[in-house]
Amino acid sequence: MRTVSRTDRASRLIKASAARVYQAFVDAEALVRWLPPEGMTGEMLAFDAKPGGGYRMALHYRDGTPGKTDEHSDVVETRFVALKPGRQIVQTAMFESEDPAFAGTMRMTWTFEATEVGTRVAITCEDVPQGIRKQDHLQGLKSSLANLAAFVGG
């Protein structure tokens, strides 16, 4: 039986320069502050901002929601495929989980497009694991983008 691949997308205009937005992705302290969606906190376990490097982050649910990795947490391992300052970040992400519904490698492409009033930040997630409900994922992506906007001042 063939697994159907899913792609989720979200974007937001952020009133900050593409360089400022990009910097929030390649600084471990910044990333752990804005990336976790509403209802979660982050814990950076490892970080290496270079192509071939990546990060390992634990996302902890504040409300007791069951996690993919353990009782109340999701641990994600990412690898940076491409880092193009101020323009694009391509990364792969894998959740640590014994549930096959969360297995596989998701490809995430973040693009930064300068506009007259800031930067259009768009994310495309390809091969989203089947266990992640589309509605929940889109809500999480929009929440992270809102956090990013607040973090960089836009």
Side-chain angles (χ1 to χ4, degrees):
M1 180 162 128
R2 185 174 178 270
T3 302
V4 177
S5 175
R6 188 178 92 221
T7 300
D8 293 342
R9 293 179 175 84
S11 68
R12 181 180 177 116
L13 181 61
I14 296 178
K15 294 178 183 175
S17 70
R20 172 102 172 96
V21 170
Y22 178 84
Q23 194 58 38
F25 282 80
V26 295
D27 177 290
E29 289 180 26
L31 188 65
V32 77
R33 286 184 52 201
W34 69 261
L35 186 64
E38 186 177 347
M40 301 185 92
T41 60
E43 177 186 1
M44 192 62 72
L45 305 172
F47 189 83
D48 185 14
K50 67 180 181 190
Y55 61 89
R56 188 166 183 260
M57 184 186 296
L59 299 164
H60 306 289
Y61 291 90
R62 287 191 201 132
D63 66 0
T65 298
K68 297 170 191 66
T69 306
D70 62 30
E71 189 175 358
H72 301 294
S73 300
D74 298 344
V75 176
V76 62
E77 180 91 30
T78 70
R79 288 286 163 245
F80 291 117
V81 176
L83 292 168
K84 298 176 183 176
R87 295 186 340 215
Q88 182 186 65
I89 295 173
V90 180
Q91 63 192 52
T92 59
M94 292 178 54
F95 288 99
E96 292 181 11
S97 179
E98 293 186 15
D99 185 338
F102 299 109
T105 302
M106 178 170 55
R107 184 178 178 92
M108 303 170 71
T109 302
W110 297 85
T111 58
F112 314 112
E113 179 186 347
T115 72
E116 290 182 15
V117 294
T119 304
R120 166 82 39 203
V121 178
I123 180 167
T124 301
C125 300
E126 300 171 276
D127 299 322
V128 178
Q130 292 178 327
I132 300 173
R133 291 181 355 154
K134 186 173 185 82
Q135 177 182 342
D136 294 341
H137 196 223
L138 292 176
Q139 182 179 348
L141 294 175
K142 289 177 183 179
S143 177
S144 290
L145 286 167
N147 294 343
L148 174 61
F151 183 80
V152 297

